[in-house]
Every structure is written in structure tokens, then in C-alpha cells.
Amino acid sequence: VSPGSRNTPLMLALSDQDEIECISVVDERDSGFIALGLSKSSYLPTLVITTSGTAAANLYPSIIEAFMTETPLIILTADRPSHLIGTGENQTINQHEIFGNYVQYFSDMGDLNLLDEKKIRNIAIESYKCSMGLTDRGKLSFTKGPVHLNIPFEKPLHLSSEIRNKV
């Protein structure tokens, strides 16, 4: 996980899972390569979580290497909602298929509030299978590699002023 306010909901949701160990890596480029190394040594996909904009773009070199070496990764990028993309606001680059042909699968998840738990679970399972080369959207692939899930959030998670004053 590379810290950022927009990806905080993802980080909090995953850090609550006993089966998942979260490691904070400040620089996204480092985060991508650390995850690549973990996946190469375990032969299993590592999750990489970033905030929006150029933070996601900094993962590109490690994603290319993962693709070329058939190393499984699952990239979760927080994003701005579609109506804020390209508006000149901070971190509003177009992240839709930002990694091009260097991922096995891409999905823009849309508003997670509109998805039920079953749909989210199915996307997670499909992403895992695809990164492991078990399926490519229903077709046999047998090629491991990176998968990218882009998840827009209307507002980043902010600490209330009451909690901020205690910290």
C-alpha cells in the first residue's frame, strides 16, 4: 500500500482482513517493485494499492516487468469519479486502461456502493484467477500476469476534526 487519502478506504478494508498483511511503502514505484519481488518469490499475486493520478502511473515499469516475466500482480488504483477526470483538479488523469496491453485484465469498478458483496467477491475471484493464468474472462489463458482494477471514489476518507485533534 502506498498511502494517499483517496485509497484510504481500500487500505482500511483490506487491513481489517486477518489473511492479508499490509505493508506501507511511501513511493509507488518502490511499492510496485516490492510487490513484484514478493510475487516472484511466492508464485502468488501480491496486491498493489495506490491513490489516483500520477501515483498509479508510477507503477507502470513494474507492471511491464510483471507482464513480461508472467508474474501475477493485482493492482488496485483509487480514482476520481468520471465527472472529475480531466478537469484540471489534482490527480485527475485518465486511468482507464492506463497500463494498456501490459495487463491480463482491466476493470473500472464504478461506484462500489452500487455493487453488492457477491459482485465484488466475483470480481476479486476473477481477478485472482486471471492473474494466475487460470482464465481470461472465461477463456483458458495459462499466462500469469498483472490485473488492474480501477476504483473511483467520490470523496477521499478524511479524519474528523475531533479525531485529528487527538492524533
Side-chain angles (χ1 to χ4, degrees):
V1 178
S2 290
S5 62
R6 193 151 307 268
N7 67 326
T8 298
L10 292 172
M11 189 263 321
L12 291 175
L14 292 170
S15 66
D16 285 344
Q17 307 301 313
D18 292 335
E19 304 84 19
I20 297 175
E21 178 185 359
C22 289
I23 301 168
S24 181
V25 180
V26 175
D27 182 81
E28 290 83 6
R29 191 171 163 102
D30 290 342
S31 181
F33 280 107
I34 289 169
L36 181 66
L38 290 169
S39 289
K40 282 184 175 191
S41 66
S42 70
Y43 304 102
L44 295 170
T46 301
L47 294 173
V48 182
I49 303 169
T50 69
T51 193
S52 57
T54 57
N58 279 313
L59 295 175
Y60 203 34
S62 58
I63 290 169
I64 292 171
E65 185 168 330
F67 181 83
M68 299 304 288
T69 60
E70 297 181 9
T71 304
L73 288 177
I74 299 174
I75 298 98
L76 304 176
T77 54
D79 199 359
R80 298 278 184 135
S82 60
H83 68 276
L84 293 177
I85 301 302
T87 60
E89 294 285 326
N90 185 30
Q91 302 294 314
T92 61
I93 68 170
N94 182 358
Q95 292 177 201
H96 188 83
E97 297 190 40
I98 190 171
F99 305 119
N101 294 328
Y102 292 103
V103 292
Q104 301 293 87
Y105 174 71
F106 167 79
S107 178
D108 192 312
M109 307 247 327
D111 187 347
L112 293 182
N113 294 318
L114 301 178
L115 301 177
D116 61 22
E117 282 184 42
K118 183 178 179 182
K119 178 71 173 169
I120 293 171
R121 189 177 311 109
N122 287 342
I123 291 169
I125 291 168
E126 183 68 16
S127 297
Y128 173 82
K129 287 180 178 179
C130 198
S131 73
M132 291 298 291
L134 301 174
T135 180
D136 183 14
R137 299 179 82 176
K139 301 174 193 168
L140 288 178
S141 169
F142 303 112
T143 303
K144 294 181 181 182
V147 169
H148 177 206
L149 301 177
N150 193 56
I151 307 165
F153 291 97
E154 186 67 38
K155 294 181 181 178
L157 183 64
H158 292 286
L159 293 174
S160 70
S161 58
E162 179 182 297
I163 294 173
R164 230 181 250 130
N165 292 332
K166 291 180 182 180
V167 174

PDB file of all heavy atoms in Angstrom, residues 43-46 70-75 104-105 124-136 142-148:
ATOM      1  N   TYR A  43       5.147 -17.015  -5.996  1.00  0.00           N
ATOM      2  CA  TYR A  43       4.392 -17.523  -7.142  1.00  0.00           C
ATOM      3  C   TYR A  43       2.897 -17.232  -7.017  1.00  0.00           C
ATOM      4  O   TYR A  43       2.079 -17.861  -7.673  1.00  0.00           O
ATOM      5  CB  TYR A  43       4.616 -19.030  -7.356  1.00  0.00           C
ATOM      6  CG  TYR A  43       6.070 -19.382  -7.525  1.00  0.00           C
ATOM      7  CD1 TYR A  43       6.796 -19.945  -6.485  1.00  0.00           C
ATOM      8  CD2 TYR A  43       6.729 -19.128  -8.722  1.00  0.00           C
ATOM      9  CE1 TYR A  43       8.141 -20.259  -6.638  1.00  0.00           C
ATOM     10  CE2 TYR A  43       8.073 -19.437  -8.885  1.00  0.00           C
ATOM     11  CZ  TYR A  43       8.771 -20.003  -7.836  1.00  0.00           C
ATOM     12  OH  TYR A  43      10.092 -20.301  -7.983  1.00  0.00           O
ATOM     13  N   LEU A  44       2.544 -16.264  -6.175  1.00  0.00           N
ATOM     14  CA  LEU A  44       1.159 -15.853  -5.968  1.00  0.00           C
ATOM     15  C   LEU A  44       1.045 -14.354  -6.207  1.00  0.00           C
ATOM     16  O   LEU A  44       2.013 -13.616  -6.013  1.00  0.00           O
ATOM     17  CB  LEU A  44       0.712 -16.176  -4.541  1.00  0.00           C
ATOM     18  CG  LEU A  44       0.653 -17.648  -4.174  1.00  0.00           C
ATOM     19  CD1 LEU A  44       0.425 -17.810  -2.666  1.00  0.00           C
ATOM     20  CD2 LEU A  44      -0.440 -18.350  -4.957  1.00  0.00           C
ATOM     21  N   PRO A  45      -0.143 -13.875  -6.582  1.00  0.00           N
ATOM     22  CA  PRO A  45      -0.284 -12.444  -6.807  1.00  0.00           C
ATOM     23  C   PRO A  45      -0.195 -11.651  -5.508  1.00  0.00           C
ATOM     24  O   PRO A  45      -0.681 -12.084  -4.466  1.00  0.00           O
ATOM     25  CB  PRO A  45      -1.670 -12.304  -7.443  1.00  0.00           C
ATOM     26  CG  PRO A  45      -2.398 -13.538  -7.099  1.00  0.00           C
ATOM     27  CD  PRO A  45      -1.375 -14.607  -6.877  1.00  0.00           C
ATOM     28  N   THR A  46       0.452 -10.522  -5.588  1.00  0.00           N
ATOM     29  CA  THR A  46       0.511  -9.556  -4.498  1.00  0.00           C
ATOM     30  C   THR A  46      -0.389  -8.398  -4.897  1.00  0.00           C
ATOM     31  O   THR A  46      -0.416  -7.997  -6.055  1.00  0.00           O
ATOM     32  CB  THR A  46       1.957  -9.065  -4.301  1.00  0.00           C
ATOM     33  OG1 THR A  46       2.785 -10.188  -4.006  1.00  0.00           O
ATOM     34  CG2 THR A  46       2.049  -8.056  -3.181  1.00  0.00           C
ATOM     35  N   GLU A  70       5.650 -12.830 -16.730  1.00  0.00           N
ATOM     36  CA  GLU A  70       4.468 -13.620 -16.366  1.00  0.00           C
ATOM     37  C   GLU A  70       4.358 -13.790 -14.852  1.00  0.00           C
ATOM     38  O   GLU A  70       4.150 -14.882 -14.331  1.00  0.00           O
ATOM     39  CB  GLU A  70       4.474 -14.971 -17.081  1.00  0.00           C
ATOM     40  CG  GLU A  70       4.404 -14.835 -18.587  1.00  0.00           C
ATOM     41  CD  GLU A  70       4.376 -16.155 -19.332  1.00  0.00           C
ATOM     42  OE1 GLU A  70       4.239 -17.218 -18.694  1.00  0.00           O
ATOM     43  OE2 GLU A  70       4.491 -16.116 -20.570  1.00  0.00           O
ATOM     44  N   THR A  71       4.493 -12.659 -14.152  1.00  0.00           N
ATOM     45  CA  THR A  71       4.394 -12.638 -12.699  1.00  0.00           C
ATOM     46  C   THR A  71       3.029 -12.083 -12.294  1.00  0.00           C
ATOM     47  O   THR A  71       2.651 -10.993 -12.725  1.00  0.00           O
ATOM     48  CB  THR A  71       5.519 -11.757 -12.095  1.00  0.00           C
ATOM     49  OG1 THR A  71       6.776 -12.247 -12.566  1.00  0.00           O
ATOM     50  CG2 THR A  71       5.482 -11.774 -10.587  1.00  0.00           C
ATOM     51  N   PRO A  72       2.292 -12.808 -11.455  1.00  0.00           N
ATOM     52  CA  PRO A  72       0.950 -12.338 -11.075  1.00  0.00           C
ATOM     53  C   PRO A  72       0.996 -11.150 -10.115  1.00  0.00           C
ATOM     54  O   PRO A  72       1.744 -11.149  -9.144  1.00  0.00           O
ATOM     55  CB  PRO A  72       0.334 -13.564 -10.393  1.00  0.00           C
ATOM     56  CG  PRO A  72       1.487 -14.337  -9.865  1.00  0.00           C
ATOM     57  CD  PRO A  72       2.616 -14.094 -10.827  1.00  0.00           C
ATOM     58  N   LEU A  73       0.235 -10.133 -10.420  1.00  0.00           N
ATOM     59  CA  LEU A  73       0.021  -8.973  -9.549  1.00  0.00           C
ATOM     60  C   LEU A  73      -1.437  -8.564  -9.692  1.00  0.00           C
ATOM     61  O   LEU A  73      -2.028  -8.736 -10.766  1.00  0.00           O
ATOM     62  CB  LEU A  73       0.865  -7.768  -9.977  1.00  0.00           C
ATOM     63  CG  LEU A  73       2.360  -7.743  -9.758  1.00  0.00           C
ATOM     64  CD1 LEU A  73       2.954  -6.464 -10.356  1.00  0.00           C
ATOM     65  CD2 LEU A  73       2.698  -7.834  -8.289  1.00  0.00           C
ATOM     66  N   ILE A  74      -1.990  -8.009  -8.641  1.00  0.00           N
ATOM     67  CA  ILE A  74      -3.324  -7.402  -8.726  1.00  0.00           C
ATOM     68  C   ILE A  74      -3.173  -5.960  -8.273  1.00  0.00           C
ATOM     69  O   ILE A  74      -2.820  -5.689  -7.132  1.00  0.00           O
ATOM     70  CB  ILE A  74      -4.358  -8.160  -7.877  1.00  0.00           C
ATOM     71  CG1 ILE A  74      -4.490  -9.600  -8.370  1.00  0.00           C
ATOM     72  CG2 ILE A  74      -5.706  -7.424  -7.924  1.00  0.00           C
ATOM     73  CD1 ILE A  74      -5.381 -10.482  -7.533  1.00  0.00           C
ATOM     74  N   ILE A  75      -3.417  -5.041  -9.188  1.00  0.00           N
ATOM     75  CA  ILE A  75      -3.238  -3.619  -8.929  1.00  0.00           C
ATOM     76  C   ILE A  75      -4.605  -2.999  -8.661  1.00  0.00           C
ATOM     77  O   ILE A  75      -5.525  -3.116  -9.478  1.00  0.00           O
ATOM     78  CB  ILE A  75      -2.578  -2.910 -10.144  1.00  0.00           C
ATOM     79  CG1 ILE A  75      -1.187  -3.489 -10.404  1.00  0.00           C
ATOM     80  CG2 ILE A  75      -2.480  -1.423  -9.904  1.00  0.00           C
ATOM     81  CD1 ILE A  75      -1.165  -4.503 -11.477  1.00  0.00           C
ATOM     82  N   GLN A 104      -3.316  -8.432 -17.912  1.00  0.00           N
ATOM     83  CA  GLN A 104      -4.126  -9.540 -18.403  1.00  0.00           C
ATOM     84  C   GLN A 104      -5.610  -9.168 -18.451  1.00  0.00           C
ATOM     85  O   GLN A 104      -6.365  -9.732 -19.211  1.00  0.00           O
ATOM     86  CB  GLN A 104      -3.962 -10.766 -17.490  1.00  0.00           C
ATOM     87  CG  GLN A 104      -2.551 -11.286 -17.364  1.00  0.00           C
ATOM     88  CD  GLN A 104      -2.055 -11.865 -18.656  1.00  0.00           C
ATOM     89  OE1 GLN A 104      -1.533 -11.150 -19.491  1.00  0.00           O
ATOM     90  NE2 GLN A 104      -2.213 -13.148 -18.821  1.00  0.00           N
ATOM     91  N   TYR A 105      -5.988  -8.241 -17.578  1.00  0.00           N
ATOM     92  CA  TYR A 105      -7.403  -7.893 -17.426  1.00  0.00           C
ATOM     93  C   TYR A 105      -7.498  -6.512 -16.797  1.00  0.00           C
ATOM     94  O   TYR A 105      -6.692  -6.158 -15.937  1.00  0.00           O
ATOM     95  CB  TYR A 105      -8.088  -8.934 -16.538  1.00  0.00           C
ATOM     96  CG  TYR A 105      -9.514  -8.635 -16.163  1.00  0.00           C
ATOM     97  CD1 TYR A 105     -10.532  -8.721 -17.103  1.00  0.00           C
ATOM     98  CD2 TYR A 105      -9.841  -8.274 -14.868  1.00  0.00           C
ATOM     99  CE1 TYR A 105     -11.847  -8.449 -16.755  1.00  0.00           C
ATOM    100  CE2 TYR A 105     -11.153  -8.008 -14.510  1.00  0.00           C
ATOM    101  CZ  TYR A 105     -12.147  -8.085 -15.454  1.00  0.00           C
ATOM    102  OH  TYR A 105     -13.447  -7.815 -15.111  1.00  0.00           O
ATOM    103  N   ALA A 124     -13.242 -10.096  -7.483  1.00  0.00           N
ATOM    104  CA  ALA A 124     -11.987 -10.447  -6.799  1.00  0.00           C
ATOM    105  C   ALA A 124     -11.517 -11.838  -7.213  1.00  0.00           C
ATOM    106  O   ALA A 124     -10.334 -12.049  -7.513  1.00  0.00           O
ATOM    107  CB  ALA A 124     -12.176 -10.368  -5.289  1.00  0.00           C
ATOM    108  N   ILE A 125     -12.424 -12.796  -7.265  1.00  0.00           N
ATOM    109  CA  ILE A 125     -12.066 -14.166  -7.655  1.00  0.00           C
ATOM    110  C   ILE A 125     -11.601 -14.206  -9.106  1.00  0.00           C
ATOM    111  O   ILE A 125     -10.588 -14.823  -9.434  1.00  0.00           O
ATOM    112  CB  ILE A 125     -13.251 -15.125  -7.416  1.00  0.00           C
ATOM    113  CG1 ILE A 125     -13.480 -15.299  -5.909  1.00  0.00           C
ATOM    114  CG2 ILE A 125     -13.022 -16.478  -8.094  1.00  0.00           C
ATOM    115  CD1 ILE A 125     -14.796 -15.978  -5.556  1.00  0.00           C
ATOM    116  N   GLU A 126     -12.318 -13.540  -9.988  1.00  0.00           N
ATOM    117  CA  GLU A 126     -11.952 -13.493 -11.407  1.00  0.00           C
ATOM    118  C   GLU A 126     -10.583 -12.836 -11.592  1.00  0.00           C
ATOM    119  O   GLU A 126      -9.768 -13.292 -12.402  1.00  0.00           O
ATOM    120  CB  GLU A 126     -13.015 -12.751 -12.217  1.00  0.00           C
ATOM    121  CG  GLU A 126     -12.753 -12.708 -13.700  1.00  0.00           C
ATOM    122  CD  GLU A 126     -12.849 -14.053 -14.399  1.00  0.00           C
ATOM    123  OE1 GLU A 126     -13.414 -15.012 -13.827  1.00  0.00           O
ATOM    124  OE2 GLU A 126     -12.353 -14.155 -15.534  1.00  0.00           O
ATOM    125  N   SER A 127     -10.318 -11.785 -10.824  1.00  0.00           N
ATOM    126  CA  SER A 127      -9.025 -11.101 -10.904  1.00  0.00           C
ATOM    127  C   SER A 127      -7.900 -12.017 -10.469  1.00  0.00           C
ATOM    128  O   SER A 127      -6.846 -12.072 -11.108  1.00  0.00           O
ATOM    129  CB  SER A 127      -9.037  -9.840 -10.033  1.00  0.00           C
ATOM    130  OG  SER A 127      -9.989  -8.939 -10.516  1.00  0.00           O
ATOM    131  N   TYR A 128      -8.116 -12.745  -9.384  1.00  0.00           N
ATOM    132  CA  TYR A 128      -7.106 -13.691  -8.906  1.00  0.00           C
ATOM    133  C   TYR A 128      -6.848 -14.768  -9.969  1.00  0.00           C
ATOM    134  O   TYR A 128      -5.701 -15.040 -10.333  1.00  0.00           O
ATOM    135  CB  TYR A 128      -7.552 -14.348  -7.592  1.00  0.00           C
ATOM    136  CG  TYR A 128      -6.627 -15.454  -7.154  1.00  0.00           C
ATOM    137  CD1 TYR A 128      -5.451 -15.165  -6.480  1.00  0.00           C
ATOM    138  CD2 TYR A 128      -6.911 -16.783  -7.460  1.00  0.00           C
ATOM    139  CE1 TYR A 128      -4.584 -16.169  -6.102  1.00  0.00           C
ATOM    140  CE2 TYR A 128      -6.049 -17.794  -7.088  1.00  0.00           C
ATOM    141  CZ  TYR A 128      -4.886 -17.485  -6.407  1.00  0.00           C
ATOM    142  OH  TYR A 128      -4.023 -18.491  -6.056  1.00  0.00           O
ATOM    143  N   LYS A 129      -7.906 -15.363 -10.477  1.00  0.00           N
ATOM    144  CA  LYS A 129      -7.761 -16.414 -11.495  1.00  0.00           C
ATOM    145  C   LYS A 129      -7.029 -15.889 -12.729  1.00  0.00           C
ATOM    146  O   LYS A 129      -6.150 -16.559 -13.271  1.00  0.00           O
ATOM    147  CB  LYS A 129      -9.128 -16.964 -11.900  1.00  0.00           C
ATOM    148  CG  LYS A 129      -9.777 -17.836 -10.868  1.00  0.00           C
ATOM    149  CD  LYS A 129     -11.123 -18.308 -11.395  1.00  0.00           C
ATOM    150  CE  LYS A 129     -11.819 -19.229 -10.443  1.00  0.00           C
ATOM    151  NZ  LYS A 129     -13.146 -19.649 -10.973  1.00  0.00           N
ATOM    152  N   CYS A 130      -7.404 -14.701 -13.150  1.00  0.00           N
ATOM    153  CA  CYS A 130      -6.793 -14.133 -14.348  1.00  0.00           C
ATOM    154  C   CYS A 130      -5.306 -13.847 -14.122  1.00  0.00           C
ATOM    155  O   CYS A 130      -4.480 -14.127 -14.994  1.00  0.00           O
ATOM    156  CB  CYS A 130      -7.538 -12.861 -14.735  1.00  0.00           C
ATOM    157  SG  CYS A 130      -7.245 -12.329 -16.412  1.00  0.00           S
ATOM    158  N   SER A 131      -4.944 -13.333 -12.954  1.00  0.00           N
ATOM    159  CA  SER A 131      -3.532 -13.061 -12.680  1.00  0.00           C
ATOM    160  C   SER A 131      -2.721 -14.345 -12.603  1.00  0.00           C
ATOM    161  O   SER A 131      -1.533 -14.358 -12.904  1.00  0.00           O
ATOM    162  CB  SER A 131      -3.379 -12.253 -11.386  1.00  0.00           C
ATOM    163  OG  SER A 131      -3.630 -13.052 -10.257  1.00  0.00           O
ATOM    164  N   MET A 132      -3.373 -15.440 -12.234  1.00  0.00           N
ATOM    165  CA  MET A 132      -2.706 -16.739 -12.137  1.00  0.00           C
ATOM    166  C   MET A 132      -2.731 -17.509 -13.459  1.00  0.00           C
ATOM    167  O   MET A 132      -2.264 -18.632 -13.545  1.00  0.00           O
ATOM    168  CB  MET A 132      -3.340 -17.579 -11.032  1.00  0.00           C
ATOM    169  CG  MET A 132      -3.080 -17.039  -9.631  1.00  0.00           C
ATOM    170  SD  MET A 132      -1.332 -17.014  -9.203  1.00  0.00           S
ATOM    171  CE  MET A 132      -1.000 -18.768  -9.086  1.00  0.00           C
ATOM    172  N   GLY A 133      -3.311 -16.905 -14.495  1.00  0.00           N
ATOM    173  CA  GLY A 133      -3.350 -17.549 -15.808  1.00  0.00           C
ATOM    174  C   GLY A 133      -4.387 -18.641 -15.909  1.00  0.00           C
ATOM    175  O   GLY A 133      -4.341 -19.462 -16.828  1.00  0.00           O
ATOM    176  N   LEU A 134      -5.339 -18.671 -14.986  1.00  0.00           N
ATOM    177  CA  LEU A 134      -6.353 -19.716 -14.988  1.00  0.00           C
ATOM    178  C   LEU A 134      -7.518 -19.397 -15.913  1.00  0.00           C
ATOM    179  O   LEU A 134      -8.209 -20.283 -16.369  1.00  0.00           O
ATOM    180  CB  LEU A 134      -6.866 -19.953 -13.562  1.00  0.00           C
ATOM    181  CG  LEU A 134      -5.788 -20.359 -12.567  1.00  0.00           C
ATOM    182  CD1 LEU A 134      -6.372 -20.421 -11.156  1.00  0.00           C
ATOM    183  CD2 LEU A 134      -5.168 -21.686 -12.956  1.00  0.00           C
ATOM    184  N   THR A 135      -7.736 -18.131 -16.163  1.00  0.00           N
ATOM    185  CA  THR A 135      -8.823 -17.723 -17.032  1.00  0.00           C
ATOM    186  C   THR A 135      -8.553 -16.319 -17.547  1.00  0.00           C
ATOM    187  O   THR A 135      -7.858 -15.546 -16.911  1.00  0.00           O
ATOM    188  CB  THR A 135     -10.187 -17.765 -16.304  1.00  0.00           C
ATOM    189  OG1 THR A 135     -11.207 -17.355 -17.213  1.00  0.00           O
ATOM    190  CG2 THR A 135     -10.227 -16.871 -15.092  1.00  0.00           C
ATOM    191  N   ASP A 136      -9.078 -16.024 -18.676  1.00  0.00           N
ATOM    192  CA  ASP A 136      -9.012 -14.670 -19.217  1.00  0.00           C
ATOM    193  C   ASP A 136     -10.425 -14.323 -19.636  1.00  0.00           C
ATOM    194  O   ASP A 136     -10.802 -14.520 -20.788  1.00  0.00           O
ATOM    195  CB  ASP A 136      -8.037 -14.600 -20.391  1.00  0.00           C
ATOM    196  CG  ASP A 136      -7.887 -13.189 -20.932  1.00  0.00           C
ATOM    197  OD1 ASP A 136      -8.316 -12.242 -20.256  1.00  0.00           O
ATOM    198  OD2 ASP A 136      -7.348 -13.051 -22.036  1.00  0.00           O
ATOM    199  N   PHE A 142      -3.555 -19.567 -19.268  1.00  0.00           N
ATOM    200  CA  PHE A 142      -2.318 -20.199 -18.826  1.00  0.00           C
ATOM    201  C   PHE A 142      -1.146 -19.236 -18.776  1.00  0.00           C
ATOM    202  O   PHE A 142      -0.012 -19.642 -18.648  1.00  0.00           O
ATOM    203  CB  PHE A 142      -1.964 -21.437 -19.672  1.00  0.00           C
ATOM    204  CG  PHE A 142      -3.053 -22.455 -19.672  1.00  0.00           C
ATOM    205  CD1 PHE A 142      -3.767 -22.721 -20.821  1.00  0.00           C
ATOM    206  CD2 PHE A 142      -3.362 -23.151 -18.506  1.00  0.00           C
ATOM    207  CE1 PHE A 142      -4.784 -23.660 -20.825  1.00  0.00           C
ATOM    208  CE2 PHE A 142      -4.374 -24.095 -18.506  1.00  0.00           C
ATOM    209  CZ  PHE A 142      -5.090 -24.351 -19.665  1.00  0.00           C
ATOM    210  N   THR A 143      -1.374 -17.949 -18.895  1.00  0.00           N
ATOM    211  CA  THR A 143      -0.315 -16.955 -18.789  1.00  0.00           C
ATOM    212  C   THR A 143      -0.578 -16.096 -17.565  1.00  0.00           C
ATOM    213  O   THR A 143      -1.590 -15.403 -17.492  1.00  0.00           O
ATOM    214  CB  THR A 143      -0.264 -16.068 -20.050  1.00  0.00           C
ATOM    215  OG1 THR A 143      -0.085 -16.896 -21.189  1.00  0.00           O
ATOM    216  CG2 THR A 143       0.871 -15.073 -19.968  1.00  0.00           C
ATOM    217  N   LYS A 144       0.334 -16.167 -16.606  1.00  0.00           N
ATOM    218  CA  LYS A 144       0.210 -15.332 -15.417  1.00  0.00           C
ATOM    219  C   LYS A 144       0.585 -13.895 -15.772  1.00  0.00           C
ATOM    220  O   LYS A 144       1.304 -13.660 -16.738  1.00  0.00           O
ATOM    221  CB  LYS A 144       1.135 -15.835 -14.312  1.00  0.00           C
ATOM    222  CG  LYS A 144       0.770 -17.188 -13.764  1.00  0.00           C
ATOM    223  CD  LYS A 144       1.736 -17.573 -12.656  1.00  0.00           C
ATOM    224  CE  LYS A 144       1.397 -18.949 -12.119  1.00  0.00           C
ATOM    225  NZ  LYS A 144       2.295 -19.322 -11.010  1.00  0.00           N
ATOM    226  N   GLY A 145       0.110 -12.968 -14.959  1.00  0.00           N
ATOM    227  CA  GLY A 145       0.477 -11.579 -15.182  1.00  0.00           C
ATOM    228  C   GLY A 145      -0.350 -10.625 -14.352  1.00  0.00           C
ATOM    229  O   GLY A 145      -1.190 -11.031 -13.545  1.00  0.00           O
ATOM    230  N   PRO A 146      -0.130  -9.332 -14.540  1.00  0.00           N
ATOM    231  CA  PRO A 146      -0.832  -8.320 -13.756  1.00  0.00           C
ATOM    232  C   PRO A 146      -2.274  -8.108 -14.201  1.00  0.00           C
ATOM    233  O   PRO A 146      -2.624  -8.281 -15.363  1.00  0.00           O
ATOM    234  CB  PRO A 146       0.003  -7.057 -13.980  1.00  0.00           C
ATOM    235  CG  PRO A 146       0.722  -7.286 -15.257  1.00  0.00           C
ATOM    236  CD  PRO A 146       0.893  -8.769 -15.402  1.00  0.00           C
ATOM    237  N   VAL A 147      -3.091  -7.746 -13.242  1.00  0.00           N
ATOM    238  CA  VAL A 147      -4.500  -7.417 -13.431  1.00  0.00           C
ATOM    239  C   VAL A 147      -4.715  -6.041 -12.798  1.00  0.00           C
ATOM    240  O   VAL A 147      -4.150  -5.750 -11.743  1.00  0.00           O
ATOM    241  CB  VAL A 147      -5.391  -8.478 -12.739  1.00  0.00           C
ATOM    242  CG1 VAL A 147      -6.834  -8.033 -12.672  1.00  0.00           C
ATOM    243  CG2 VAL A 147      -5.269  -9.813 -13.444  1.00  0.00           C
ATOM    244  N   HIS A 148      -5.522  -5.196 -13.426  1.00  0.00           N
ATOM    245  CA  HIS A 148      -5.744  -3.836 -12.918  1.00  0.00           C
ATOM    246  C   HIS A 148      -7.223  -3.594 -12.654  1.00  0.00           C
ATOM    247  O   HIS A 148      -8.044  -3.700 -13.563  1.00  0.00           O
ATOM    248  CB  HIS A 148      -5.221  -2.818 -13.942  1.00  0.00           C
ATOM    249  CG  HIS A 148      -5.469  -1.397 -13.548  1.00  0.00           C
ATOM    250  ND1 HIS A 148      -5.570  -0.396 -14.487  1.00  0.00           N
ATOM    251  CD2 HIS A 148      -5.608  -0.791 -12.343  1.00  0.00           C
ATOM    252  CE1 HIS A 148      -5.781   0.758 -13.872  1.00  0.00           C
ATOM    253  NE2 HIS A 148      -5.811   0.536 -12.570  1.00  0.00           N
TER     254      HIS A 148
END
